[in-house]
Amino acid sequence: MKAATFNWLILMALTALSFGVAEAGVPGGAALVPVLLATLFKGRIVIDHFMALQGVGGAWRWVVLGWLLLVLGLIGYAFQYAQT
Amino acid sequence: MWCFILAELLVFGVFFLAYAFARTHDVELFNASQLELDRTSGFINTMLLISGSYFVVLAVDRIRHGHSRACTRWLIAAMACGAAFLVLKLVEFSGKIEAGISMSTNTFYMFYLGLGFFHFMHVVLGMVILGAVTLKAWRGGYRASDYAGVETGAAYWHMVDLVWIVLFPLIYLLN
């Protein structure tokens, strides 16, 4: 369970990092990539380690990871588009 | 359960993208309205759901080793996190309602209140599922060789957490 505790601490740290970036008033464009990357990393931890989909046979892991990548990718595109 | 979880993720995904692309039509309104949110409350709620998910992982590990009582305790801890999340969310929503804000105030608040309430109801459902699993675990209904019910409840709870992990930066942080 040391791995689960480590993952939990990473999730907390990445959440604090994203929150800190927003609280520090980093402009939207500069904050977009780090916050989305932190969210992607957090989502992958939940999917692979908490949902325990890593190493599971079949397409479930890739379907859920694909959902996360697609949603975050399109959110990033929409926010980038809004700045232009 | 995984088909149900996937369907839920697809629905939330559509709402997230609807928010992101609706925002492109009125960025200033969305940014100004977002500044009125209690970002700290969203941050604490994220920590609560992440911790709840961690406690559920511990509960699954305990029952995998046949420790029914320890499994029950971790499930109760996870539900306490869920309950704290719901209380904070109710305080947040009531503050907005007292300020005269509703879904018809503007497009941002339509999404903020709509998505927030939709997710809120999923946390409630997750609590109901975890409650049923906890009750069965407390009665010794699971064993090291038979704990699929705990895993199923855990998968749903992690889905609720995963959705919030995307919702929090989208609504509260990114501008």
Coordinates of all heavy atoms in Angstrom, one line a residue, chain B residues 16-105:
Chain B
F16 N -18.5 19.1 -20.4 CA -17.2 19.8 -20.2 C -16.9 20.6 -21.5 O -16.5 21.7 -21.5 CB -16.1 18.9 -19.9 CG -16.1 18.3 -18.5 CD1 -15.5 17.1 -18.2 CD2 -16.9 18.9 -17.5 CE1 -15.5 16.5 -17.0 CE2 -17.0 18.3 -16.2 CZ -16.3 17.1 -16.0
L17 N -17.0 19.9 -22.6 CA -16.7 20.5 -23.9 C -17.7 21.6 -24.3 O -17.4 22.6 -24.9 CB -16.6 19.4 -25.0 CG -15.5 18.4 -24.8 CD1 -15.5 17.4 -25.9 CD2 -14.2 19.1 -24.7
A18 N -19.0 21.4 -23.9 CA -20.0 22.4 -24.1 C -19.6 23.7 -23.4 O -19.7 24.8 -23.9 CB -21.4 22.0 -23.6
Y19 N -19.1 23.5 -22.1 CA -18.6 24.7 -21.3 C -17.5 25.4 -22.0 O -17.4 26.6 -22.2 CB -18.2 24.2 -19.9 CG -17.5 25.3 -19.1 CD1 -18.2 26.1 -18.3 CD2 -16.1 25.4 -19.2 CE1 -17.6 27.1 -17.5 CE2 -15.5 26.4 -18.4 CZ -16.2 27.3 -17.6 OH -15.6 28.2 -16.9
A20 N -16.5 24.5 -22.4 CA -15.2 25.1 -23.0 C -15.5 25.9 -24.3 O -14.9 26.9 -24.5 CB -14.2 24.0 -23.2
F21 N -16.4 25.3 -25.1 CA -16.7 26.0 -26.4 C -17.7 27.1 -26.2 O -17.6 28.1 -27.0 CB -17.1 25.0 -27.4 CG -15.9 24.2 -28.0 CD1 -15.6 22.9 -27.4 CD2 -15.1 24.7 -29.0 CE1 -14.5 22.2 -27.9 CE2 -14.0 24.0 -29.4 CZ -13.7 22.8 -28.9
A22 N -18.6 27.0 -25.3 CA -19.5 28.2 -25.0 C -18.7 29.4 -24.5 O -19.0 30.5 -24.8 CB -20.5 27.7 -24.0
R23 N -17.6 29.1 -23.8 CA -16.8 30.1 -23.2 C -16.1 30.9 -24.3 O -15.9 32.1 -24.2 CB -15.7 29.5 -22.3 CG -14.8 30.4 -21.7 CD -13.7 29.7 -20.8 NE -12.7 30.6 -20.3 CZ -11.7 31.0 -21.0 NH1 -11.5 30.5 -22.3 NH2 -10.8 31.8 -20.5
T24 N -15.8 30.3 -25.5 CA -15.1 31.0 -26.5 C -16.0 32.2 -27.1 O -15.5 33.1 -27.7 CB -14.8 30.1 -27.7 OG1 -16.0 29.5 -28.3 CG2 -13.9 28.9 -27.3
H25 N -17.3 32.1 -26.9 CA -18.2 33.2 -27.4 C -18.3 34.4 -26.5 O -18.7 35.4 -26.9 CB -19.6 32.6 -27.6 CG -19.7 31.5 -28.6 ND1 -19.4 31.8 -30.0 CD2 -19.9 30.2 -28.5 CE1 -19.5 30.6 -30.6 NE2 -19.8 29.7 -29.8
D26 N -17.9 34.2 -25.2 CA -18.0 35.3 -24.2 C -16.9 35.1 -23.1 O -17.3 34.9 -22.0 CB -19.4 35.4 -23.6 CG -19.7 36.8 -23.1 OD1 -18.7 37.6 -22.9 OD2 -20.9 37.1 -23.0
V27 N -15.7 35.3 -23.5 CA -14.6 35.0 -22.6 C -14.6 35.9 -21.4 O -14.4 35.5 -20.2 CB -13.2 35.1 -23.3 CG1 -12.1 34.9 -22.3 CG2 -13.1 34.1 -24.4
E28 N -14.9 37.2 -21.6 CA -14.8 38.2 -20.5 C -15.9 37.9 -19.5 O -15.6 38.0 -18.3 CB -15.1 39.6 -21.1 CG -13.8 40.1 -21.8 CD -14.0 41.5 -22.4 OE1 -15.1 42.1 -22.1 OE2 -13.2 41.9 -23.1
L29 N -17.1 37.5 -19.9 CA -18.2 37.1 -19.0 C -17.8 35.9 -18.1 O -17.9 35.9 -16.9 CB -19.5 36.8 -19.7 CG -20.6 36.2 -18.9 CD1 -21.3 37.3 -18.1 CD2 -21.5 35.4 -19.7
F30 N -17.2 34.9 -18.8 CA -16.8 33.7 -18.1 C -15.7 34.0 -17.1 O -15.7 33.5 -15.9 CB -16.4 32.6 -19.1 CG -17.5 31.8 -19.6 CD1 -18.5 32.3 -20.4 CD2 -17.6 30.4 -19.3 CE1 -19.5 31.5 -20.9 CE2 -18.7 29.6 -19.7 CZ -19.6 30.2 -20.5
N31 N -14.7 34.8 -17.5 CA -13.6 35.1 -16.6 C -14.1 35.9 -15.4 O -13.7 35.7 -14.3 CB -12.5 35.9 -17.4 CG -11.7 35.0 -18.3 OD1 -11.8 33.8 -18.2 ND2 -10.9 35.6 -19.2
A32 N -14.9 36.9 -15.7 CA -15.4 37.8 -14.6 C -16.3 37.0 -13.6 O -16.2 37.1 -12.4 CB -16.3 38.9 -15.2
S33 N -17.1 36.1 -14.1 CA -18.0 35.3 -13.2 C -17.2 34.3 -12.5 O -17.4 34.0 -11.3 CB -19.0 34.5 -14.1 OG -19.8 35.4 -14.8
Q34 N -16.1 33.7 -13.1 CA -15.3 32.7 -12.4 C -14.6 33.3 -11.2 O -14.4 32.7 -10.2 CB -14.3 32.2 -13.4 CG -13.5 31.0 -12.9 CD -12.3 30.7 -13.8 OE1 -11.5 31.6 -14.2 NE2 -12.2 29.4 -14.2
L35 N -14.2 34.6 -11.3 CA -13.6 35.3 -10.2 C -14.5 35.4 -9.0 O -14.0 35.6 -7.8 CB -13.1 36.7 -10.6 CG -11.9 36.7 -11.6 CD1 -11.6 38.2 -12.0 CD2 -10.7 36.1 -10.9
E36 N -15.8 35.3 -9.1 CA -16.7 35.4 -8.0 C -16.8 34.0 -7.3 O -17.5 34.0 -6.2 CB -18.1 35.8 -8.5 CG -18.1 37.2 -9.1 CD -19.4 37.4 -9.9 OE1 -20.3 36.6 -9.9 OE2 -19.5 38.6 -10.4
L37 N -16.2 33.0 -7.8 CA -16.3 31.7 -7.1 C -15.3 31.6 -6.0 O -14.3 32.3 -5.9 CB -16.0 30.5 -8.1 CG -16.9 30.4 -9.4 CD1 -16.5 29.1 -10.1 CD2 -18.3 30.3 -9.0
D38 N -15.7 30.7 -5.0 CA -14.8 30.4 -3.9 C -13.8 29.3 -4.3 O -14.1 28.1 -4.2 CB -15.6 30.0 -2.7 CG -14.7 29.8 -1.5 OD1 -13.5 29.9 -1.6 OD2 -15.3 29.6 -0.4
R39 N -12.6 29.7 -4.8 CA -11.7 28.8 -5.4 C -11.1 27.9 -4.3 O -10.9 26.7 -4.5 CB -10.5 29.6 -6.0 CG -9.6 28.8 -6.9 CD -8.5 29.7 -7.4 NE -8.9 30.5 -8.6 CZ -8.3 31.6 -9.0 NH1 -7.4 32.1 -8.3 NH2 -8.7 32.2 -10.1
T40 N -11.0 28.4 -3.0 CA -10.5 27.6 -1.9 C -11.4 26.5 -1.6 O -11.0 25.4 -1.3 CB -10.3 28.5 -0.7 OG1 -9.4 29.6 -1.1 CG2 -9.6 27.8 0.4
S41 N -12.7 26.7 -1.7 CA -13.7 25.7 -1.4 C -13.5 24.6 -2.5 O -13.6 23.4 -2.1 CB -15.1 26.3 -1.5 OG -16.1 25.3 -1.5
G42 N -13.3 24.9 -3.7 CA -13.1 23.9 -4.8 C -11.8 23.1 -4.5 O -11.8 21.9 -4.7
F43 N -10.8 23.8 -4.0 CA -9.5 23.2 -3.7 C -9.7 22.1 -2.6 O -9.3 21.0 -2.7 CB -8.5 24.2 -3.3 CG -7.2 23.7 -2.8 CD1 -6.3 23.0 -3.6 CD2 -6.9 23.9 -1.4 CE1 -5.2 22.5 -3.0 CE2 -5.7 23.5 -0.9 CZ -4.8 22.7 -1.7
I44 N -10.4 22.6 -1.5 CA -10.6 21.7 -0.4 C -11.5 20.5 -0.8 O -11.2 19.3 -0.5 CB -11.3 22.4 0.8 CG1 -10.3 23.5 1.4 CG2 -11.7 21.4 1.9 CD1 -11.0 24.4 2.3
N45 N -12.5 20.7 -1.6 CA -13.3 19.7 -2.1 C -12.5 18.6 -3.0 O -12.8 17.4 -2.9 CB -14.5 20.2 -3.0 CG -15.7 20.5 -2.1 OD1 -15.8 19.9 -1.0 ND2 -16.6 21.4 -2.5
T46 N -11.6 19.1 -3.8 CA -10.7 18.2 -4.5 C -9.9 17.3 -3.6 O -9.8 16.1 -3.8 CB -9.8 19.1 -5.5 OG1 -10.6 20.0 -6.2 CG2 -9.0 18.1 -6.4
M47 N -9.3 18.0 -2.6 CA -8.5 17.2 -1.6 C -9.4 16.1 -0.9 O -9.0 15.0 -0.7 CB -7.9 18.1 -0.5 CG -6.9 19.1 -1.1 SD -5.5 18.3 -1.8 CE -4.2 19.5 -1.6
L48 N -10.6 16.5 -0.6 CA -11.6 15.5 0.0 C -11.9 14.4 -0.9 O -11.8 13.2 -0.4 CB -12.9 16.3 0.4 CG -12.8 17.2 1.6 CD1 -14.0 18.0 1.7 CD2 -12.6 16.4 2.9
L49 N -12.2 14.6 -2.2 CA -12.5 13.5 -3.1 C -11.3 12.6 -3.3 O -11.4 11.4 -3.4 CB -13.1 14.0 -4.4 CG -14.6 14.5 -4.3 CD1 -15.1 14.7 -5.7 CD2 -15.5 13.5 -3.6
I50 N -10.1 13.2 -3.5 CA -8.9 12.5 -3.7 C -8.6 11.6 -2.5 O -8.3 10.4 -2.6 CB -7.7 13.4 -4.0 CG1 -7.8 14.0 -5.4 CG2 -6.4 12.7 -3.8 CD1 -6.8 15.1 -5.7
S51 N -8.8 12.2 -1.3 CA -8.6 11.4 -0.1 C -9.6 10.3 0.0 O -9.3 9.1 0.4 CB -8.6 12.3 1.1 OG -7.6 13.3 1.0
G52 N -10.9 10.6 -0.3 CA -11.9 9.5 -0.3 C -11.6 8.4 -1.2 O -11.7 7.2 -0.9
S53 N -11.0 8.7 -2.4 CA -10.7 7.6 -3.3 C -9.5 6.8 -2.8 O -9.5 5.6 -2.9 CB -10.2 8.3 -4.7 OG -11.2 8.2 -5.6
Y54 N -8.6 7.5 -2.1 CA -7.4 6.8 -1.5 C -7.9 5.8 -0.4 O -7.5 4.7 -0.3 CB -6.5 7.8 -0.9 CG -5.4 7.2 0.0 CD1 -4.4 6.4 -0.5 CD2 -5.3 7.6 1.3 CE1 -3.4 5.9 0.3 CE2 -4.3 7.1 2.1 CZ -3.4 6.3 1.6 OH -2.4 5.8 2.4
F55 N -8.9 6.3 0.4 CA -9.4 5.4 1.5 C -10.2 4.2 0.9 O -10.1 3.1 1.4 CB -10.4 6.2 2.4 CG -9.7 7.3 3.1 CD1 -10.4 8.5 3.5 CD2 -8.3 7.2 3.5 CE1 -9.7 9.5 4.2 CE2 -7.7 8.2 4.1 CZ -8.4 9.4 4.5
V56 N -10.8 4.4 -0.3 CA -11.5 3.3 -0.9 C -10.5 2.3 -1.4 O -10.7 1.0 -1.3 CB -12.4 3.8 -2.1 CG1 -12.8 2.7 -3.0 CG2 -13.6 4.5 -1.5
V57 N -9.3 2.8 -2.0 CA -8.2 1.9 -2.4 C -7.8 1.0 -1.2 O -7.6 -0.2 -1.3 CB -7.1 2.7 -3.0 CG1 -5.8 1.8 -3.2 CG2 -7.4 3.3 -4.3
L58 N -7.6 1.7 0.0 CA -7.2 0.9 1.2 C -8.3 -0.1 1.6 O -7.9 -1.2 2.0 CB -7.0 1.9 2.3 CG -5.8 2.9 2.1 CD1 -5.7 3.8 3.3 CD2 -4.5 2.2 1.9
A59 N -9.6 0.3 1.4 CA -10.6 -0.6 1.8 C -10.6 -1.9 0.9 O -10.8 -3.0 1.4 CB -12.0 0.1 1.6
V60 N -10.4 -1.7 -0.4 CA -10.3 -2.8 -1.3 C -9.1 -3.7 -0.9 O -9.2 -5.0 -0.9 CB -10.2 -2.4 -2.8 CG1 -9.9 -3.6 -3.7 CG2 -11.5 -1.7 -3.2
D61 N -8.0 -3.1 -0.6 CA -6.8 -3.9 -0.2 C -7.0 -4.7 1.1 O -6.6 -5.8 1.2 CB -5.6 -2.9 0.0 CG -4.4 -3.6 0.5 OD1 -3.8 -4.3 -0.3 OD2 -4.0 -3.5 1.7
R62 N -7.8 -4.1 2.0 CA -8.0 -4.8 3.3 C -8.9 -6.0 3.0 O -8.7 -7.1 3.6 CB -8.7 -3.8 4.3 CG -7.8 -2.8 4.9 CD -6.6 -3.3 5.7 NE -5.5 -3.7 4.8 CZ -4.6 -4.6 5.2 NH1 -4.7 -5.2 6.4 NH2 -3.6 -5.0 4.4
I63 N -10.0 -5.8 2.2 CA -10.9 -7.0 2.0 C -10.2 -8.1 1.2 O -10.5 -9.3 1.3 CB -12.2 -6.5 1.4 CG1 -13.3 -7.6 1.6 CG2 -12.1 -6.2 -0.1 CD1 -13.6 -7.9 3.1
R64 N -9.3 -7.6 0.3 CA -8.5 -8.6 -0.5 C -7.7 -9.5 0.4 O -7.5 -10.7 0.1 CB -7.6 -7.9 -1.4 CG -6.9 -8.8 -2.4 CD -6.0 -7.9 -3.3 NE -6.7 -7.1 -4.2 CZ -6.4 -5.8 -4.5 NH1 -5.5 -5.2 -3.8 NH2 -7.2 -5.1 -5.3
H65 N -7.4 -9.0 1.6 CA -6.6 -9.8 2.6 C -7.6 -10.4 3.6 O -7.1 -11.0 4.7 CB -5.5 -9.0 3.2 CG -4.4 -8.6 2.3 ND1 -4.4 -7.5 1.6 CD2 -3.3 -9.3 2.0 CE1 -3.4 -7.4 0.8 NE2 -2.6 -8.5 1.0
G66 N -8.9 -10.3 3.4 CA -9.9 -10.9 4.3 C -10.2 -10.1 5.6 O -10.8 -10.6 6.5
H67 N -9.7 -8.8 5.6 CA -10.0 -8.0 6.9 C -11.2 -7.2 6.7 O -11.2 -6.0 6.3 CB -8.7 -7.2 7.1 CG -7.5 -7.9 7.3 ND1 -7.3 -9.0 8.2 CD2 -6.3 -7.8 6.7 CE1 -6.1 -9.5 8.1 NE2 -5.4 -8.8 7.2
S68 N -12.3 -7.8 7.1 CA -13.6 -7.2 6.9 C -13.8 -5.9 7.7 O -14.3 -4.9 7.2 CB -14.7 -8.2 7.2 OG -15.9 -7.9 6.5
R69 N -13.4 -5.9 8.9 CA -13.5 -4.8 9.8 C -12.7 -3.6 9.3 O -13.2 -2.4 9.3 CB -13.1 -5.1 11.3 CG -14.1 -6.1 11.9 CD -15.4 -5.3 12.3 NE -16.4 -6.3 12.7 CZ -17.6 -6.0 13.1 NH1 -17.9 -4.7 13.3 NH2 -18.5 -6.9 13.4
A70 N -11.5 -3.8 9.0 CA -10.6 -2.7 8.5 C -11.2 -2.2 7.2 O -11.2 -0.9 7.0 CB -9.2 -3.3 8.2
C71 N -11.7 -3.0 6.3 CA -12.4 -2.6 5.1 C -13.5 -1.7 5.4 O -13.7 -0.6 4.8 CB -12.9 -3.8 4.3 SG -13.9 -3.4 2.9
T72 N -14.3 -2.0 6.4 CA -15.5 -1.2 6.8 C -15.0 0.2 7.3 O -15.6 1.2 6.9 CB -16.3 -1.9 7.9 OG1 -16.6 -3.2 7.5 CG2 -17.5 -1.2 8.3
R73 N -14.0 0.2 8.1 CA -13.5 1.4 8.6 C -13.0 2.4 7.5 O -13.3 3.6 7.5 CB -12.3 1.2 9.6 CG -12.8 0.7 11.0 CD -11.7 0.9 12.0 NE -10.5 0.0 11.7 CZ -10.4 -1.3 12.2 NH1 -11.4 -1.8 12.9 NH2 -9.4 -2.0 11.9
W74 N -12.3 1.9 6.5 CA -11.8 2.7 5.4 C -13.0 3.2 4.6 O -12.9 4.3 4.0 CB -10.8 2.0 4.6 CG -9.4 1.8 5.2 CD1 -8.8 0.7 5.6 CD2 -8.6 2.9 5.7 NE1 -7.6 1.0 6.2 CE2 -7.4 2.4 6.3 CE3 -8.7 4.3 5.7 CZ2 -6.4 3.1 6.8 CZ3 -7.7 5.1 6.2 CH2 -6.6 4.5 6.8
L75 N -14.0 2.3 4.4 CA -15.1 2.8 3.6 C -15.9 3.9 4.4 O -16.4 4.9 3.7 CB -16.1 1.6 3.4 CG -15.6 0.6 2.3 CD1 -16.5 -0.7 2.3 CD2 -15.6 1.2 0.9
I76 N -16.0 3.8 5.7 CA -16.6 4.9 6.5 C -15.8 6.2 6.3 O -16.4 7.3 6.2 CB -16.8 4.4 7.9 CG1 -17.8 3.3 8.0 CG2 -17.1 5.6 8.8 CD1 -17.9 2.7 9.4
A77 N -14.5 6.0 6.3 CA -13.6 7.2 6.2 C -13.8 7.9 4.8 O -13.9 9.1 4.7 CB -12.1 6.8 6.3
A78 N -14.0 7.0 3.8 CA -14.3 7.5 2.4 C -15.6 8.3 2.4 O -15.7 9.3 1.8 CB -14.2 6.4 1.4
M79 N -16.6 7.7 3.0 CA -17.9 8.3 3.1 C -17.9 9.6 3.9 O -18.6 10.6 3.5 CB -19.0 7.4 3.6 CG -19.4 6.3 2.6 SD -20.9 5.4 3.1 CE -20.4 4.7 4.6
A80 N -17.1 9.7 4.9 CA -16.9 10.9 5.6 C -16.4 12.0 4.7 O -16.8 13.2 4.8 CB -16.0 10.7 6.8
C81 N -15.4 11.7 3.9 CA -14.9 12.6 2.9 C -16.0 13.1 1.9 O -16.1 14.3 1.6 CB -13.7 12.0 2.1 SG -12.2 11.8 3.1
G82 N -16.8 12.1 1.5 CA -17.9 12.5 0.6 C -18.9 13.4 1.3 O -19.4 14.3 0.6
A83 N -19.2 13.1 2.5 CA -20.2 13.9 3.3 C -19.6 15.3 3.4 O -20.4 16.3 3.3 CB -20.5 13.3 4.6
A84 N -18.3 15.4 3.8 CA -17.8 16.8 3.9 C -17.8 17.5 2.6 O -18.1 18.8 2.5 CB -16.3 16.7 4.4
F85 N -17.6 16.8 1.5 CA -17.7 17.4 0.1 C -19.1 18.0 -0.1 O -19.2 19.1 -0.5 CB -17.3 16.4 -0.9 CG -17.5 16.8 -2.3 CD1 -16.5 17.4 -3.1 CD2 -18.8 16.8 -3.0 CE1 -16.6 17.8 -4.4 CE2 -18.9 17.2 -4.3 CZ -17.9 17.7 -5.0
L86 N -20.1 17.2 0.2 CA -21.5 17.6 0.0 C -21.8 18.8 0.9 O -22.5 19.7 0.4 CB -22.4 16.4 0.3 CG -22.3 15.2 -0.6 CD1 -23.3 14.1 -0.2 CD2 -22.6 15.6 -2.1
V87 N -21.3 18.8 2.1 CA -21.6 20.0 3.0 C -21.0 21.3 2.4 O -21.7 22.3 2.3 CB -21.1 19.7 4.4 CG1 -21.1 21.0 5.3 CG2 -21.9 18.6 5.1
L88 N -19.7 21.1 2.0 CA -19.1 22.3 1.5 C -19.7 22.8 0.2 O -19.9 24.0 0.0 CB -17.6 22.0 1.1 CG -16.5 22.3 2.2 CD1 -15.2 21.9 1.7 CD2 -16.6 23.8 2.5
K89 N -20.2 21.9 -0.6 CA -20.9 22.2 -1.9 C -22.2 22.9 -1.6 O -22.6 23.9 -2.3 CB -21.1 20.9 -2.7 CG -20.9 21.0 -4.1 CD -19.6 21.6 -4.6 CE -19.7 21.9 -6.1 NZ -19.1 23.1 -6.5
L90 N -22.9 22.4 -0.6 CA -24.2 23.0 -0.2 C -24.0 24.5 0.3 O -24.7 25.4 0.0 CB -24.9 22.2 0.9 CG -25.6 20.9 0.4 CD1 -26.2 20.1 1.5 CD2 -26.7 21.3 -0.6
V91 N -22.9 24.6 1.1 CA -22.6 26.0 1.6 C -22.3 26.9 0.4 O -22.8 28.1 0.3 CB -21.4 25.9 2.5 CG1 -20.9 27.3 2.9 CG2 -21.7 25.2 3.8
E92 N -21.5 26.4 -0.6 CA -21.1 27.1 -1.8 C -22.4 27.5 -2.6 O -22.6 28.7 -3.0 CB -20.2 26.3 -2.6 CG -19.4 27.1 -3.6 CD -18.4 26.1 -4.4 OE1 -17.9 25.2 -3.8 OE2 -18.3 26.4 -5.6
F93 N -23.2 26.5 -2.8 CA -24.5 26.8 -3.6 C -25.4 27.8 -2.9 O -26.0 28.7 -3.5 CB -25.2 25.5 -3.8 CG -24.6 24.6 -4.9 CD1 -24.7 23.2 -4.9 CD2 -23.9 25.2 -6.0 CE1 -24.2 22.4 -5.9 CE2 -23.4 24.4 -7.0 CZ -23.5 23.0 -7.0
S94 N -25.6 27.6 -1.6 CA -26.5 28.4 -0.8 C -26.0 29.9 -0.8 O -26.8 30.8 -0.9 CB -26.7 27.9 0.6 OG -25.5 27.9 1.3
G95 N -24.7 30.1 -0.8 CA -24.1 31.4 -0.9 C -24.5 32.1 -2.2 O -24.8 33.3 -2.2
K96 N -24.4 31.3 -3.3 CA -24.7 31.9 -4.6 C -26.2 32.2 -4.7 O -26.6 33.2 -5.2 CB -24.4 30.9 -5.7 CG -22.9 30.6 -5.8 CD -22.2 31.9 -6.3 CE -20.7 31.7 -6.2 NZ -20.0 33.0 -6.0
I97 N -27.0 31.3 -4.1 CA -28.5 31.5 -4.2 C -28.9 32.7 -3.4 O -29.7 33.6 -3.8 CB -29.2 30.2 -3.7 CG1 -29.0 29.1 -4.7 CG2 -30.7 30.5 -3.5 CD1 -29.4 27.7 -4.3
E98 N -28.2 32.9 -2.2 CA -28.5 34.1 -1.3 C -28.1 35.4 -2.0 O -28.7 36.4 -1.8 CB -27.8 33.9 0.0 CG -28.5 33.0 1.0 CD -27.7 32.8 2.2 OE1 -26.7 33.5 2.5 OE2 -28.0 31.8 3.0
A99 N -27.1 35.2 -2.9 CA -26.6 36.4 -3.6 C -27.5 36.7 -4.8 O -27.2 37.6 -5.6 CB -25.2 36.2 -4.0
G100 N -28.6 35.9 -5.0 CA -29.5 36.1 -6.1 C -29.0 35.5 -7.4 O -29.6 35.8 -8.5
I101 N -28.0 34.6 -7.3 CA -27.5 34.0 -8.5 C -28.3 32.7 -8.8 O -28.6 31.9 -7.9 CB -26.0 33.7 -8.4 CG1 -25.3 35.0 -8.4 CG2 -25.5 32.8 -9.5 CD1 -23.8 34.9 -8.0
S102 N -28.7 32.5 -10.1 CA -29.4 31.3 -10.5 C -28.8 30.8 -11.8 O -27.9 31.5 -12.4 CB -30.9 31.5 -10.6 OG -31.1 32.4 -11.7
M103 N -29.4 29.8 -12.4 CA -28.9 29.3 -13.6 C -29.2 30.2 -14.8 O -28.6 30.2 -15.8 CB -29.6 27.9 -14.0 CG -29.0 26.8 -13.1 SD -29.6 25.2 -13.5 CE -28.8 24.8 -15.1
S104 N -30.2 31.1 -14.6 CA -30.5 32.1 -15.6 C -29.8 33.4 -15.5 O -30.0 34.3 -16.3 CB -32.0 32.3 -15.6 OG -32.4 32.8 -14.3
T105 N -28.9 33.5 -14.5 CA -28.1 34.7 -14.3 C -27.2 35.0 -15.6 O -27.3 36.1 -16.1 CB -27.2 34.6 -13.1 OG1 -28.0 34.5 -11.9 CG2 -26.3 35.9 -12.9

